Amino acid sequence: MKISEFLNKDNNNLDLARILLACLVIVGHSEAINGSGIYWIDPFHHFLKFTYAGAFAVKVFLFISGLVVTNSYLSKKSVVYFVISRLFRILPGLLFVLLVTVFIFGPIVTNLEFKEYLSQLNYFAYIRHNIVFYSDYLLPGVFVENLYPNIVNGSLWTLRYEIGCYIILPILFLFLGNRNKKYFIFPILLVFIDTLLPNRFFLGFIDNNPEKYLLPMAFAYGVFFAIFSTKIFINIYVVLVSFLVFFFLKSTIYAEILFTLASCNLVLFLSSLKYILKMKPKYDISYGVYLWGFLIQQTLFSLFGHINIIIHCLLAILFSVVLAVITFIFIEKPFMNFGKAFLNFINEKYLNSVKVI
């Protein structure tokens, strides 16, 4: 199947893939937040050593984002559409989680008196910083005695990298021109080459932690698939070859990069299978599961301490999914609909473009 065919929503189940990846982030954080236990291993870290479930999931998540948002831009060819749709997709859910964290979770789990807690919020710095993707992990007296202390929501740091990719993408389209898609191979190659270098040049601002510096590459790989969607095929042979390459080079410094790329291919292939297509979720709750997961895990430890890690993980996934469904129905979906209505108004009033449906 060509990627151009795969990107037809009826031919993929990327919504399910993203939900499972968001749950995998919770799995990856379980040992650090709850503590280990018998009969528990992180399968990725146990067998691969160079990564763990959470880091792996985030990279594949960024790959899917690169694929989907680039395809969205190509279908509309409008920077206005791209920016507004991204803002209405990301900010409302994030703001809701931040508000609930500060005004509901915080007072429940802080070790301070309620008035003292409120007085130390520093003009709601936690909300002000995180809503502009400047990572702030601290709330007064919250999770200070946890096994993973003081960190309220350790998953929010990835958002600034994703937003950075979203900013660069339309700039490249404007610079290279919408009709000259073939020129996109140059910035994509630049990202890949720079990632492979021992001392990164253009990506040098990102530290040497592969959890961070491999994120632009993962996003660029998704962009590559979307740009050249009419020329790229995804099938079992592509998956097998990519894993064979990883297998033969798994002892090299490029093992994690090759495994990430092969896994991205696998996720696309699995998402296109007929029996997987029958399991499409009603709601796209992956973003909500990701936003709630770490906070829920920290709250579980704060309230109950160390419990069986499997129970901790399952409870965290359950509560995160429930809150994600609520967030999607009452916050994310209404704002996405409002964003579409706003875009239609702009199109009709100023741009005379295609109606957003």
Side-chain angles (χ1 to χ4, degrees):
M1 178 187 294
K2 286 185 178 181
I3 296 297
S4 56
E5 298 172 290
F6 172 85
L7 287 169
N8 184 319
K9 204 165 180 64
D10 293 331
N11 293 333
N12 72 74
N13 198 350
L14 288 176
D15 287 349
L16 177 63
R18 285 183 291 199
I19 292 172
L20 293 177
L21 289 168
C23 291
L24 197 57
V25 172
I26 294 174
V27 173
H29 290 155
S30 293
E31 188 170 348
I33 293 176
N34 179 77
S36 189
I38 58 173
Y39 311 120
W40 176 268
I41 60 170
D42 183 312
F44 291 88
H45 184 65
H46 182 77
F47 292 107
L48 299 171
K49 305 304 180 186
F50 52 71
T51 191
Y52 70 98
F56 164 81
V58 170
K59 288 190 280 288
V60 180
F61 213 113
L62 260 289
F63 161 73
I64 295 175
S65 291
L67 174 66
V68 172
V69 300
T70 304
N71 183 64
S72 174
Y73 185 95
L74 290 171
S75 67
K76 303 297 181 183
K77 292 184 173 59
S78 167
V79 173
V80 174
Y81 170 85
F82 182 86
V83 171
I84 292 177
S85 61
R86 290 298 92 204
L87 288 175
F88 278 98
R89 182 67 185 95
I90 295 169
L91 290 181
L94 175 61
L95 180 59
F96 178 70
V97 170
L98 295 175
L99 289 170
V100 171
T101 300
V102 170
F103 295 109
I104 297 181
F105 280 82
I108 292 174
V109 298
T110 184
N111 61 5
L112 304 176
E113 294 293 330
F114 181 64
K115 288 185 178 179
E116 187 178 1
Y117 168 78
L118 290 179
S119 69
Q120 295 185 27
L121 286 177
N122 189 23
Y123 302 102
F124 310 111
Y126 182 82
I127 297 173
R128 289 188 290 107
H129 292 160
N130 285 309
I131 199 63
V132 293
F133 313 107
Y134 178 80
S135 300
D136 189 335
Y137 303 116
L138 305 178
L139 282 174
V142 173
F143 302 143
V144 294
E145 298 177 0
N146 276 27
L147 182 66
Y148 200 83
N150 301 314
I151 308 300
V152 175
N153 196 334
S155 292
L156 298 182
W157 68 267
T158 65
L159 294 179
R160 68 174 177 269
Y161 293 98
E162 186 169 5
I163 295 301
C165 292
Y166 289 167
I167 292 171
I168 292 171
L169 183 66
I171 292 175
L172 285 175
F173 271 112
L174 289 174
F175 180 73
L176 297 174
N178 289 327
R179 297 181 180 180
N180 297 318
K181 295 192 298 182
K182 61 182 180 181
Y183 295 126
F184 251 82
I185 194 65
F186 295 111
I188 292 171
L189 281 175
L190 188 63
V191 171
F192 269 81
I193 293 170
D194 204 31
T195 302
L196 294 171
L197 293 174
N199 297 307
R200 286 169 298 283
F201 183 71
F202 293 100
L203 300 176
F205 66 94
I206 303 176
D207 65 31
N208 288 322
N209 185 345
E211 285 190 52
K212 297 179 180 180
Y213 76 74
L214 291 182
L215 294 181
M217 181 210 69
F219 189 88
Y221 193 48
V223 174
F224 172 73
F225 271 56
I227 293 287
F228 301 100
S229 61
T230 58
K231 294 180 169 60
I232 301 174
F233 288 82
I234 189 68
N235 52 48
I236 187 61
Y237 303 108
V238 172
V239 174
L240 289 176
V241 169
S242 56
F243 274 103
L244 277 174
V245 173
F246 160 70
F247 179 79
F248 285 117
L249 297 175
K250 65 180 180 180
S251 299
T252 70
I253 60 174
Y254 305 116
E256 185 170 2
I257 294 173
L258 294 171
F259 180 76
T260 299
L261 300 180
S263 299
C264 292
N265 296 339
L266 177 63
V267 167
L268 292 192
F269 173 69
L270 293 176
S271 298
S272 68
L273 296 178
K274 289 183 179 180
Y275 62 88
I276 300 293
L277 291 174
K278 295 178 181 179
M279 296 186 286
K280 286 200 172 188
K282 185 176 181 180
Y283 304 119
D284 180 11
I285 61 170
S286 56
Y287 183 48
V289 172
Y290 185 79
L291 289 178
W292 288 111
F294 197 99
L295 172 66
I296 295 298
Q297 289 184 279
Q298 286 283 61
T299 302
L300 286 173
F301 187 89
S302 178
L303 296 176
F304 305 111
H306 173 76
I307 59 177
N308 181 285
I309 190 171
I310 297 175
I311 294 175
H312 167 91
C313 185
L314 292 176
L315 285 175
I317 290 173
L318 174 63
F319 288 127
S320 297
V321 166
V322 171
L323 286 172
V325 170
I326 293 171
T327 305
F328 184 84
I329 293 174
F330 295 104
I331 304 297
E332 293 177 64
K333 188 63 175 178
F335 274 96
M336 283 190 286
N337 290 336
F338 179 78
K340 290 176 182 178
F342 182 58
L343 280 165
N344 283 330
F345 170 77
I346 292 176
N347 285 335
E348 294 170 3
K349 192 78 173 177
Y350 303 105
L351 303 179
N352 295 317
S353 186
V354 180
K355 185 175 182 180
V356 181
I357 58 173

